[in-house]
Amino acid sequence: MQRDDPAAEASSEQLVRRAQAGDRAALDRLFERYLPVLRRWAAGRLPRWARDVVDTDDMIQETLIKTFRNVGDFVPRHEGALGAYLRQAVHNRIRDEIRRVQARPRKEGLQDDHRDMGPSPLEEALGSEALLRYENALGRLGAEDRELILTRIEMGLSYEEVAMATNKPSADAARMAVSRALVRLAGEMDHE
């Protein structure tokens, strides 16, 4: 991508509006911008036992293509809206894949000498419980705190990118805002 390309510096909201007007370059730039972010966010979220023909990277690409095919229906309410929407779409796709794998019969029988190297049911329950506490606490936070945490922690954006996505004046301002949001999140998790 060239430096003088206006799509390179455009906000996601601007790119969505341009894509809705039929600008293919804006759509390509959105794909380039969000594919690595969603890869980082989704890494490890699809359990190994659920990986069959489709892997996480394929699911992300399919989700982006499907979402961007219907970009005309998307209403960007704020700069971080598209990222949050895409994250939720990928999350839903991962859950659908897990349900699909769980619904089909197993192909192989268990053998006596087979040892499961994965987490025990107790470990999975504790992990699920912690995740549920996190998601419940996140839901009780204000919209700005949620957006800060999602963009920095779940999507893995740099503080500079968080500043751009949340209209903070600088990367340092974004770092401080994320820190305060995380303190509030920890407080909410402690109340549960």
mmCIF file of all heavy atoms in Angstrom, residues 67-112:
data_model
loop_
_atom_site.group_PDB
_atom_site.id
_atom_site.type_symbol
_atom_site.label_atom_id
_atom_site.label_comp_id
_atom_site.label_asym_id
_atom_site.label_seq_id
_atom_site.Cartn_x
_atom_site.Cartn_y
_atom_site.Cartn_z
ATOM 1 N N THR A 67 -19.500 -10.465 6.235
ATOM 2 C CA THR A 67 -19.868 -9.171 6.817
ATOM 3 C C THR A 67 -19.710 -8.056 5.795
ATOM 4 O O THR A 67 -20.590 -7.210 5.642
ATOM 5 C CB THR A 67 -19.008 -8.882 8.059
ATOM 6 O OG1 THR A 67 -19.211 -9.938 9.000
ATOM 7 C CG2 THR A 67 -19.389 -7.555 8.690
ATOM 8 N N PHE A 68 -18.576 -8.049 5.098
ATOM 9 C CA PHE A 68 -18.331 -6.973 4.140
ATOM 10 C C PHE A 68 -19.215 -7.087 2.905
ATOM 11 O O PHE A 68 -19.463 -6.102 2.226
ATOM 12 C CB PHE A 68 -16.853 -6.909 3.763
ATOM 13 C CG PHE A 68 -15.977 -6.433 4.892
ATOM 14 C CD1 PHE A 68 -14.662 -6.841 4.991
ATOM 15 C CD2 PHE A 68 -16.463 -5.588 5.880
ATOM 16 C CE1 PHE A 68 -13.849 -6.405 6.025
ATOM 17 C CE2 PHE A 68 -15.664 -5.154 6.930
ATOM 18 C CZ PHE A 68 -14.359 -5.556 7.002
ATOM 19 N N ARG A 69 -19.723 -8.279 2.622
ATOM 20 C CA ARG A 69 -20.668 -8.439 1.512
ATOM 21 C C ARG A 69 -21.964 -7.662 1.826
ATOM 22 O O ARG A 69 -22.637 -7.177 0.942
ATOM 23 C CB ARG A 69 -20.978 -9.918 1.314
ATOM 24 C CG ARG A 69 -21.769 -10.210 0.055
ATOM 25 C CD ARG A 69 -21.996 -11.700 -0.142
ATOM 26 N NE ARG A 69 -20.732 -12.425 -0.214
ATOM 27 C CZ ARG A 69 -20.511 -13.610 0.361
ATOM 28 N NH1 ARG A 69 -21.462 -14.216 1.031
ATOM 29 N NH2 ARG A 69 -19.340 -14.200 0.252
ATOM 30 N N ASN A 70 -22.270 -7.545 3.130
ATOM 31 C CA ASN A 70 -23.481 -6.846 3.564
ATOM 32 C C ASN A 70 -23.153 -5.509 4.230
ATOM 33 O O ASN A 70 -23.902 -5.040 5.076
ATOM 34 C CB ASN A 70 -24.268 -7.733 4.538
ATOM 35 C CG ASN A 70 -24.691 -9.030 3.905
ATOM 36 O OD1 ASN A 70 -25.171 -9.049 2.786
ATOM 37 N ND2 ASN A 70 -24.480 -10.132 4.594
ATOM 38 N N VAL A 71 -22.032 -4.901 3.848
ATOM 39 C CA VAL A 71 -21.589 -3.657 4.487
ATOM 40 C C VAL A 71 -22.611 -2.533 4.317
ATOM 41 O O VAL A 71 -22.684 -1.623 5.135
ATOM 42 C CB VAL A 71 -20.188 -3.242 3.989
ATOM 43 C CG1 VAL A 71 -20.253 -2.676 2.569
ATOM 44 C CG2 VAL A 71 -19.543 -2.256 4.940
ATOM 45 N N GLY A 72 -23.421 -2.606 3.295
ATOM 46 C CA GLY A 72 -24.437 -1.579 3.073
ATOM 47 C C GLY A 72 -25.461 -1.496 4.184
ATOM 48 O O GLY A 72 -26.058 -0.449 4.416
ATOM 49 N N ASP A 73 -25.645 -2.594 4.928
ATOM 50 C CA ASP A 73 -26.618 -2.625 6.019
ATOM 51 C C ASP A 73 -26.038 -2.164 7.348
ATOM 52 O O ASP A 73 -26.767 -1.957 8.310
ATOM 53 C CB ASP A 73 -27.163 -4.056 6.202
ATOM 54 C CG ASP A 73 -27.892 -4.550 4.972
ATOM 55 O OD1 ASP A 73 -28.432 -3.713 4.219
ATOM 56 O OD2 ASP A 73 -27.914 -5.777 4.745
ATOM 57 N N PHE A 74 -24.708 -2.016 7.419
ATOM 58 C CA PHE A 74 -24.052 -1.661 8.681
ATOM 59 C C PHE A 74 -24.145 -0.157 8.920
ATOM 60 O O PHE A 74 -23.885 0.646 8.036
ATOM 61 C CB PHE A 74 -22.580 -2.093 8.665
ATOM 62 C CG PHE A 74 -21.864 -1.804 9.950
ATOM 63 C CD1 PHE A 74 -22.094 -2.569 11.084
ATOM 64 C CD2 PHE A 74 -20.978 -0.747 10.048
ATOM 65 C CE1 PHE A 74 -21.442 -2.302 12.277
ATOM 66 C CE2 PHE A 74 -20.323 -0.467 11.229
ATOM 67 C CZ PHE A 74 -20.560 -1.251 12.345
ATOM 68 N N VAL A 75 -24.517 0.207 10.153
ATOM 69 C CA VAL A 75 -24.608 1.622 10.528
ATOM 70 C C VAL A 75 -23.515 1.890 11.565
ATOM 71 O O VAL A 75 -23.636 1.462 12.717
ATOM 72 C CB VAL A 75 -25.994 1.956 11.126
ATOM 73 C CG1 VAL A 75 -26.054 3.416 11.537
ATOM 74 C CG2 VAL A 75 -27.099 1.620 10.140
ATOM 75 N N PRO A 76 -22.425 2.581 11.168
ATOM 76 C CA PRO A 76 -21.355 2.859 12.134
ATOM 77 C C PRO A 76 -21.763 3.979 13.093
ATOM 78 O O PRO A 76 -21.826 5.133 12.717
ATOM 79 C CB PRO A 76 -20.174 3.282 11.243
ATOM 80 C CG PRO A 76 -20.807 3.784 9.992
ATOM 81 C CD PRO A 76 -22.117 3.074 9.840
ATOM 82 N N ARG A 77 -22.039 3.627 14.341
ATOM 83 C CA ARG A 77 -22.498 4.620 15.312
ATOM 84 C C ARG A 77 -21.339 5.379 15.952
ATOM 85 O O ARG A 77 -21.505 6.462 16.455
ATOM 86 C CB ARG A 77 -23.337 3.939 16.387
ATOM 87 C CG ARG A 77 -24.695 3.513 15.861
ATOM 88 C CD ARG A 77 -25.542 2.891 16.962
ATOM 89 N NE ARG A 77 -26.912 2.676 16.615
ATOM 90 C CZ ARG A 77 -27.369 1.871 15.673
ATOM 91 N NH1 ARG A 77 -26.533 1.222 14.917
ATOM 92 N NH2 ARG A 77 -28.654 1.717 15.454
ATOM 93 N N HIS A 78 -20.157 4.759 15.962
ATOM 94 C CA HIS A 78 -18.957 5.408 16.499
ATOM 95 C C HIS A 78 -17.760 4.710 15.889
ATOM 96 O O HIS A 78 -17.888 3.667 15.236
ATOM 97 C CB HIS A 78 -18.926 5.347 18.031
ATOM 98 C CG HIS A 78 -19.058 3.968 18.579
ATOM 99 N ND1 HIS A 78 -18.004 3.094 18.657
ATOM 100 C CD2 HIS A 78 -20.141 3.297 19.042
ATOM 101 C CE1 HIS A 78 -18.424 1.951 19.164
ATOM 102 N NE2 HIS A 78 -19.719 2.040 19.403
ATOM 103 N N GLU A 79 -16.579 5.258 16.097
ATOM 104 C CA GLU A 79 -15.372 4.744 15.443
ATOM 105 C C GLU A 79 -15.087 3.283 15.777
ATOM 106 O O GLU A 79 -14.670 2.536 14.940
ATOM 107 C CB GLU A 79 -14.164 5.615 15.804
ATOM 108 C CG GLU A 79 -12.854 5.129 15.224
ATOM 109 C CD GLU A 79 -12.831 4.966 13.715
ATOM 110 O OE1 GLU A 79 -13.540 5.708 13.007
ATOM 111 O OE2 GLU A 79 -12.129 4.066 13.220
ATOM 112 N N GLY A 80 -15.315 2.833 16.977
ATOM 113 C CA GLY A 80 -15.004 1.454 17.345
ATOM 114 C C GLY A 80 -16.108 0.456 17.025
ATOM 115 O O GLY A 80 -15.967 -0.730 17.307
ATOM 116 N N ALA A 81 -17.202 0.914 16.439
ATOM 117 C CA ALA A 81 -18.362 0.050 16.226
ATOM 118 C C ALA A 81 -18.057 -1.129 15.309
ATOM 119 O O ALA A 81 -18.480 -2.254 15.580
ATOM 120 C CB ALA A 81 -19.531 0.860 15.665
ATOM 121 N N LEU A 82 -17.336 -0.891 14.233
ATOM 122 C CA LEU A 82 -17.062 -1.975 13.293
ATOM 123 C C LEU A 82 -16.199 -3.056 13.947
ATOM 124 O O LEU A 82 -16.477 -4.245 13.802
ATOM 125 C CB LEU A 82 -16.388 -1.453 12.025
ATOM 126 C CG LEU A 82 -16.080 -2.530 10.977
ATOM 127 C CD1 LEU A 82 -17.363 -3.191 10.489
ATOM 128 C CD2 LEU A 82 -15.311 -1.930 9.812
ATOM 129 N N GLY A 83 -15.174 -2.659 14.678
ATOM 130 C CA GLY A 83 -14.323 -3.642 15.347
ATOM 131 C C GLY A 83 -15.106 -4.496 16.329
ATOM 132 O O GLY A 83 -14.944 -5.719 16.373
ATOM 133 N N ALA A 84 -15.963 -3.860 17.109
ATOM 134 C CA ALA A 84 -16.782 -4.603 18.068
ATOM 135 C C ALA A 84 -17.749 -5.545 17.340
ATOM 136 O O ALA A 84 -17.951 -6.693 17.751
ATOM 137 C CB ALA A 84 -17.549 -3.635 18.966
ATOM 138 N N TYR A 85 -18.326 -5.070 16.244
ATOM 139 C CA TYR A 85 -19.261 -5.876 15.461
ATOM 140 C C TYR A 85 -18.550 -7.101 14.873
ATOM 141 O O TYR A 85 -19.057 -8.223 14.939
ATOM 142 C CB TYR A 85 -19.867 -5.025 14.348
ATOM 143 C CG TYR A 85 -20.867 -5.759 13.500
ATOM 144 C CD1 TYR A 85 -22.169 -5.940 13.930
ATOM 145 C CD2 TYR A 85 -20.506 -6.278 12.263
ATOM 146 C CE1 TYR A 85 -23.096 -6.618 13.155
ATOM 147 C CE2 TYR A 85 -21.416 -6.957 11.482
ATOM 148 C CZ TYR A 85 -22.709 -7.132 11.922
ATOM 149 O OH TYR A 85 -23.617 -7.804 11.153
ATOM 150 N N LEU A 86 -17.352 -6.885 14.310
ATOM 151 C CA LEU A 86 -16.603 -7.985 13.713
ATOM 152 C C LEU A 86 -16.167 -8.994 14.767
ATOM 153 O O LEU A 86 -16.224 -10.209 14.545
ATOM 154 C CB LEU A 86 -15.387 -7.449 12.957
ATOM 155 C CG LEU A 86 -15.700 -6.664 11.687
ATOM 156 C CD1 LEU A 86 -14.443 -6.006 11.147
ATOM 157 C CD2 LEU A 86 -16.339 -7.565 10.634
ATOM 158 N N ARG A 87 -15.748 -8.504 15.930
ATOM 159 C CA ARG A 87 -15.344 -9.390 17.022
ATOM 160 C C ARG A 87 -16.510 -10.285 17.434
ATOM 161 O O ARG A 87 -16.367 -11.487 17.623
ATOM 162 C CB ARG A 87 -14.845 -8.569 18.213
ATOM 163 C CG ARG A 87 -14.361 -9.414 19.369
ATOM 164 C CD ARG A 87 -14.027 -8.507 20.568
ATOM 165 N NE ARG A 87 -14.481 -9.124 21.771
ATOM 166 C CZ ARG A 87 -15.719 -9.096 22.274
ATOM 167 N NH1 ARG A 87 -16.660 -8.445 21.673
ATOM 168 N NH2 ARG A 87 -16.022 -9.703 23.387
ATOM 169 N N GLN A 88 -17.692 -9.678 17.563
ATOM 170 C CA GLN A 88 -18.875 -10.454 17.936
ATOM 171 C C GLN A 88 -19.238 -11.454 16.847
ATOM 172 O O GLN A 88 -19.623 -12.586 17.141
ATOM 173 C CB GLN A 88 -20.060 -9.522 18.213
ATOM 174 C CG GLN A 88 -21.270 -10.248 18.763
ATOM 175 C CD GLN A 88 -20.999 -10.930 20.091
ATOM 176 O OE1 GLN A 88 -20.452 -10.331 20.999
ATOM 177 N NE2 GLN A 88 -21.359 -12.200 20.206
ATOM 178 N N ALA A 89 -19.088 -11.067 15.580
ATOM 179 C CA ALA A 89 -19.391 -11.979 14.472
ATOM 180 C C ALA A 89 -18.448 -13.186 14.497
ATOM 181 O O ALA A 89 -18.886 -14.326 14.304
ATOM 182 C CB ALA A 89 -19.294 -11.237 13.134
ATOM 183 N N VAL A 90 -17.171 -12.955 14.733
ATOM 184 C CA VAL A 90 -16.206 -14.055 14.809
ATOM 185 C C VAL A 90 -16.514 -14.923 16.036
ATOM 186 O O VAL A 90 -16.472 -16.154 15.959
ATOM 187 C CB VAL A 90 -14.755 -13.528 14.841
ATOM 188 C CG1 VAL A 90 -13.775 -14.640 15.170
ATOM 189 C CG2 VAL A 90 -14.396 -12.883 13.506
ATOM 190 N N HIS A 91 -16.830 -14.276 17.154
ATOM 191 C CA HIS A 91 -17.186 -15.023 18.368
ATOM 192 C C HIS A 91 -18.388 -15.935 18.098
ATOM 193 O O HIS A 91 -18.384 -17.118 18.478
ATOM 194 C CB HIS A 91 -17.487 -14.041 19.497
ATOM 195 C CG HIS A 91 -17.823 -14.685 20.797
ATOM 196 N ND1 HIS A 91 -16.885 -15.316 21.578
ATOM 197 C CD2 HIS A 91 -19.000 -14.814 21.453
ATOM 198 C CE1 HIS A 91 -17.466 -15.806 22.656
ATOM 199 N NE2 HIS A 91 -18.745 -15.510 22.607
ATOM 200 N N ASN A 92 -19.401 -15.412 17.431
ATOM 201 C CA ASN A 92 -20.585 -16.213 17.093
ATOM 202 C C ASN A 92 -20.221 -17.366 16.169
ATOM 203 O O ASN A 92 -20.730 -18.478 16.317
ATOM 204 C CB ASN A 92 -21.653 -15.336 16.441
ATOM 205 C CG ASN A 92 -22.272 -14.361 17.414
ATOM 206 O OD1 ASN A 92 -22.161 -14.500 18.628
ATOM 207 N ND2 ASN A 92 -22.903 -13.334 16.887
ATOM 208 N N ARG A 93 -19.333 -17.115 15.211
ATOM 209 C CA ARG A 93 -18.920 -18.155 14.258
ATOM 210 C C ARG A 93 -18.165 -19.269 14.986
ATOM 211 O O ARG A 93 -18.351 -20.446 14.697
ATOM 212 C CB ARG A 93 -18.055 -17.531 13.161
ATOM 213 C CG ARG A 93 -17.511 -18.487 12.134
ATOM 214 C CD ARG A 93 -18.640 -19.107 11.287
ATOM 215 N NE ARG A 93 -18.095 -19.882 10.216
ATOM 216 C CZ ARG A 93 -17.738 -21.163 10.304
ATOM 217 N NH1 ARG A 93 -17.889 -21.804 11.448
ATOM 218 N NH2 ARG A 93 -17.234 -21.795 9.276
ATOM 219 N N ILE A 94 -17.330 -18.908 15.954
ATOM 220 C CA ILE A 94 -16.602 -19.909 16.738
ATOM 221 C C ILE A 94 -17.585 -20.754 17.546
ATOM 222 O O ILE A 94 -17.494 -21.982 17.578
ATOM 223 C CB ILE A 94 -15.552 -19.237 17.648
ATOM 224 C CG1 ILE A 94 -14.395 -18.694 16.801
ATOM 225 C CG2 ILE A 94 -15.037 -20.207 18.718
ATOM 226 C CD1 ILE A 94 -13.423 -17.824 17.561
ATOM 227 N N ARG A 95 -18.564 -20.098 18.177
ATOM 228 C CA ARG A 95 -19.567 -20.854 18.936
ATOM 229 C C ARG A 95 -20.356 -21.792 18.033
ATOM 230 O O ARG A 95 -20.641 -22.927 18.413
ATOM 231 C CB ARG A 95 -20.518 -19.896 19.656
ATOM 232 C CG ARG A 95 -19.916 -19.292 20.885
ATOM 233 C CD ARG A 95 -20.940 -18.612 21.721
ATOM 234 N NE ARG A 95 -21.780 -17.751 20.900
ATOM 235 C CZ ARG A 95 -22.497 -16.749 21.333
ATOM 236 N NH1 ARG A 95 -22.523 -16.491 22.613
ATOM 237 N NH2 ARG A 95 -23.215 -16.006 20.527
ATOM 238 N N ASP A 96 -20.709 -21.321 16.825
ATOM 239 C CA ASP A 96 -21.432 -22.177 15.880
ATOM 240 C C ASP A 96 -20.607 -23.399 15.498
ATOM 241 O O ASP A 96 -21.125 -24.510 15.397
ATOM 242 C CB ASP A 96 -21.806 -21.396 14.614
ATOM 243 C CG ASP A 96 -22.884 -20.356 14.853
ATOM 244 O OD1 ASP A 96 -23.543 -20.406 15.913
ATOM 245 O OD2 ASP A 96 -23.062 -19.486 13.974
ATOM 246 N N GLU A 97 -19.310 -23.195 15.292
ATOM 247 C CA GLU A 97 -18.431 -24.309 14.918
ATOM 248 C C GLU A 97 -18.329 -25.307 16.066
ATOM 249 O O GLU A 97 -18.368 -26.512 15.844
ATOM 250 C CB GLU A 97 -17.051 -23.785 14.532
ATOM 251 C CG GLU A 97 -16.118 -24.847 14.014
ATOM 252 C CD GLU A 97 -16.566 -25.498 12.715
ATOM 253 O OE1 GLU A 97 -17.401 -24.922 11.981
ATOM 254 O OE2 GLU A 97 -16.083 -26.616 12.432
ATOM 255 N N ILE A 98 -18.228 -24.830 17.288
ATOM 256 C CA ILE A 98 -18.160 -25.725 18.445
ATOM 257 C C ILE A 98 -19.452 -26.539 18.551
ATOM 258 O O ILE A 98 -19.418 -27.756 18.756
ATOM 259 C CB ILE A 98 -17.898 -24.927 19.741
ATOM 260 C CG1 ILE A 98 -16.460 -24.389 19.732
ATOM 261 C CG2 ILE A 98 -18.156 -25.773 20.981
ATOM 262 C CD1 ILE A 98 -16.164 -23.395 20.829
ATOM 263 N N ARG A 99 -20.591 -25.876 18.380
ATOM 264 C CA ARG A 99 -21.880 -26.593 18.428
ATOM 265 C C ARG A 99 -21.966 -27.633 17.315
ATOM 266 O O ARG A 99 -22.457 -28.747 17.525
ATOM 267 C CB ARG A 99 -23.037 -25.604 18.286
ATOM 268 C CG ARG A 99 -23.335 -24.855 19.532
ATOM 269 C CD ARG A 99 -24.636 -24.061 19.365
ATOM 270 N NE ARG A 99 -24.585 -22.924 20.242
ATOM 271 C CZ ARG A 99 -24.539 -21.659 19.867
ATOM 272 N NH1 ARG A 99 -24.574 -21.342 18.600
ATOM 273 N NH2 ARG A 99 -24.472 -20.691 20.738
ATOM 274 N N ARG A 100 -21.497 -27.272 16.115
ATOM 275 C CA ARG A 100 -21.554 -28.190 14.972
ATOM 276 C C ARG A 100 -20.722 -29.435 15.263
ATOM 277 O O ARG A 100 -21.173 -30.561 15.035
ATOM 278 C CB ARG A 100 -21.043 -27.494 13.713
ATOM 279 C CG ARG A 100 -21.194 -28.334 12.449
ATOM 280 C CD ARG A 100 -20.524 -27.670 11.263
ATOM 281 N NE ARG A 100 -19.074 -27.670 11.373
ATOM 282 C CZ ARG A 100 -18.295 -28.721 11.143
ATOM 283 N NH1 ARG A 100 -18.822 -29.874 10.822
ATOM 284 N NH2 ARG A 100 -16.985 -28.620 11.250
ATOM 285 N N VAL A 101 -19.525 -29.249 15.800
ATOM 286 C CA VAL A 101 -18.643 -30.382 16.094
ATOM 287 C C VAL A 101 -19.233 -31.233 17.211
ATOM 288 O O VAL A 101 -19.188 -32.467 17.152
ATOM 289 C CB VAL A 101 -17.222 -29.885 16.441
ATOM 290 C CG1 VAL A 101 -16.368 -31.003 16.990
ATOM 291 C CG2 VAL A 101 -16.568 -29.267 15.213
ATOM 292 N N GLN A 102 -19.813 -30.604 18.220
ATOM 293 C CA GLN A 102 -20.385 -31.358 19.336
ATOM 294 C C GLN A 102 -21.610 -32.161 18.906
ATOM 295 O O GLN A 102 -21.894 -33.208 19.477
ATOM 296 C CB GLN A 102 -20.781 -30.412 20.465
ATOM 297 C CG GLN A 102 -19.599 -29.879 21.231
ATOM 298 C CD GLN A 102 -20.007 -28.866 22.293
ATOM 299 O OE1 GLN A 102 -20.994 -28.163 22.146
ATOM 300 N NE2 GLN A 102 -19.213 -28.779 23.347
ATOM 301 N N ALA A 103 -22.320 -31.699 17.903
ATOM 302 C CA ALA A 103 -23.558 -32.352 17.479
ATOM 303 C C ALA A 103 -23.317 -33.612 16.655
ATOM 304 O O ALA A 103 -24.191 -34.472 16.580
ATOM 305 C CB ALA A 103 -24.411 -31.380 16.670
ATOM 306 N N ARG A 104 -22.171 -33.741 16.051
ATOM 307 C CA ARG A 104 -21.945 -34.917 15.200
ATOM 308 C C ARG A 104 -21.325 -36.050 16.013
ATOM 309 O O ARG A 104 -20.607 -35.823 16.993
ATOM 310 C CB ARG A 104 -21.098 -34.557 13.997
ATOM 311 C CG ARG A 104 -19.679 -34.297 14.293
ATOM 312 C CD ARG A 104 -18.883 -34.226 12.998
ATOM 313 N NE ARG A 104 -17.507 -34.147 13.404
ATOM 314 C CZ ARG A 104 -16.723 -33.144 13.163
ATOM 315 N NH1 ARG A 104 -17.157 -32.133 12.452
ATOM 316 N NH2 ARG A 104 -15.488 -33.136 13.595
ATOM 317 N N PRO A 105 -21.589 -37.278 15.605
ATOM 318 C CA PRO A 105 -21.055 -38.428 16.340
ATOM 319 C C PRO A 105 -19.529 -38.522 16.186
ATOM 320 O O PRO A 105 -18.967 -38.088 15.188
ATOM 321 C CB PRO A 105 -21.747 -39.627 15.701
ATOM 322 C CG PRO A 105 -22.279 -39.146 14.410
ATOM 323 C CD PRO A 105 -22.416 -37.660 14.492
ATOM 324 N N ARG A 106 -18.902 -39.091 17.196
ATOM 325 C CA ARG A 106 -17.442 -39.282 17.152
ATOM 326 C C ARG A 106 -17.087 -40.322 16.103
ATOM 327 O O ARG A 106 -17.792 -41.296 15.920
ATOM 328 C CB ARG A 106 -16.944 -39.733 18.513
ATOM 329 C CG ARG A 106 -17.085 -38.643 19.541
ATOM 330 C CD ARG A 106 -16.387 -39.045 20.782
ATOM 331 N NE ARG A 106 -14.951 -39.084 20.481
ATOM 332 C CZ ARG A 106 -14.022 -38.655 21.295
ATOM 333 N NH1 ARG A 106 -14.342 -38.185 22.454
ATOM 334 N NH2 ARG A 106 -12.759 -38.728 20.969
ATOM 335 N N LYS A 107 -15.952 -40.122 15.478
ATOM 336 C CA LYS A 107 -15.511 -41.015 14.409
ATOM 337 C C LYS A 107 -14.729 -42.212 14.940
ATOM 338 O O LYS A 107 -14.626 -43.221 14.284
ATOM 339 C CB LYS A 107 -14.637 -40.241 13.416
ATOM 340 C CG LYS A 107 -15.387 -39.193 12.659
ATOM 341 C CD LYS A 107 -14.470 -38.454 11.719
ATOM 342 C CE LYS A 107 -15.215 -37.339 11.030
ATOM 343 N NZ LYS A 107 -14.357 -36.529 10.194
ATOM 344 N N GLU A 108 -14.146 -42.078 16.102
ATOM 345 C CA GLU A 108 -13.288 -43.145 16.611
ATOM 346 C C GLU A 108 -13.686 -43.514 18.034
ATOM 347 O O GLU A 108 -14.161 -42.690 18.798
ATOM 348 C CB GLU A 108 -11.826 -42.707 16.589
ATOM 349 C CG GLU A 108 -11.579 -41.466 17.426
ATOM 350 C CD GLU A 108 -10.175 -40.925 17.255
ATOM 351 O OE1 GLU A 108 -9.772 -40.682 16.121
ATOM 352 O OE2 GLU A 108 -9.510 -40.765 18.294
ATOM 353 N N GLY A 109 -13.471 -44.735 18.373
ATOM 354 C CA GLY A 109 -13.758 -45.187 19.728
ATOM 355 C C GLY A 109 -12.574 -44.920 20.646
ATOM 356 O O GLY A 109 -11.452 -44.720 20.200
ATOM 357 N N LEU A 110 -12.843 -44.935 21.928
ATOM 358 C CA LEU A 110 -11.778 -44.735 22.908
ATOM 359 C C LEU A 110 -10.986 -46.024 23.071
ATOM 360 O O LEU A 110 -11.531 -47.121 23.039
ATOM 361 C CB LEU A 110 -12.366 -44.318 24.259
ATOM 362 C CG LEU A 110 -13.005 -42.954 24.324
ATOM 363 C CD1 LEU A 110 -13.603 -42.723 25.713
ATOM 364 C CD2 LEU A 110 -11.981 -41.870 24.017
ATOM 365 N N GLN A 111 -9.704 -45.855 23.276
ATOM 366 C CA GLN A 111 -8.844 -47.006 23.503
ATOM 367 C C GLN A 111 -8.365 -46.963 24.948
ATOM 368 O O GLN A 111 -8.259 -45.895 25.549
ATOM 369 C CB GLN A 111 -7.670 -46.962 22.542
ATOM 370 C CG GLN A 111 -8.130 -47.022 21.095
ATOM 371 C CD GLN A 111 -6.964 -46.858 20.123
ATOM 372 O OE1 GLN A 111 -5.814 -46.923 20.509
ATOM 373 N NE2 GLN A 111 -7.296 -46.667 18.870
ATOM 374 N N ASP A 112 -8.045 -48.131 25.483
ATOM 375 C CA ASP A 112 -7.625 -48.217 26.879
ATOM 376 C C ASP A 112 -6.363 -47.428 27.166
ATOM 377 O O ASP A 112 -6.198 -46.896 28.257
ATOM 378 C CB ASP A 112 -7.407 -49.684 27.282
ATOM 379 C CG ASP A 112 -8.725 -50.432 27.343
ATOM 380 O OD1 ASP A 112 -9.775 -49.771 27.510
ATOM 381 O OD2 ASP A 112 -8.694 -51.665 27.221
#
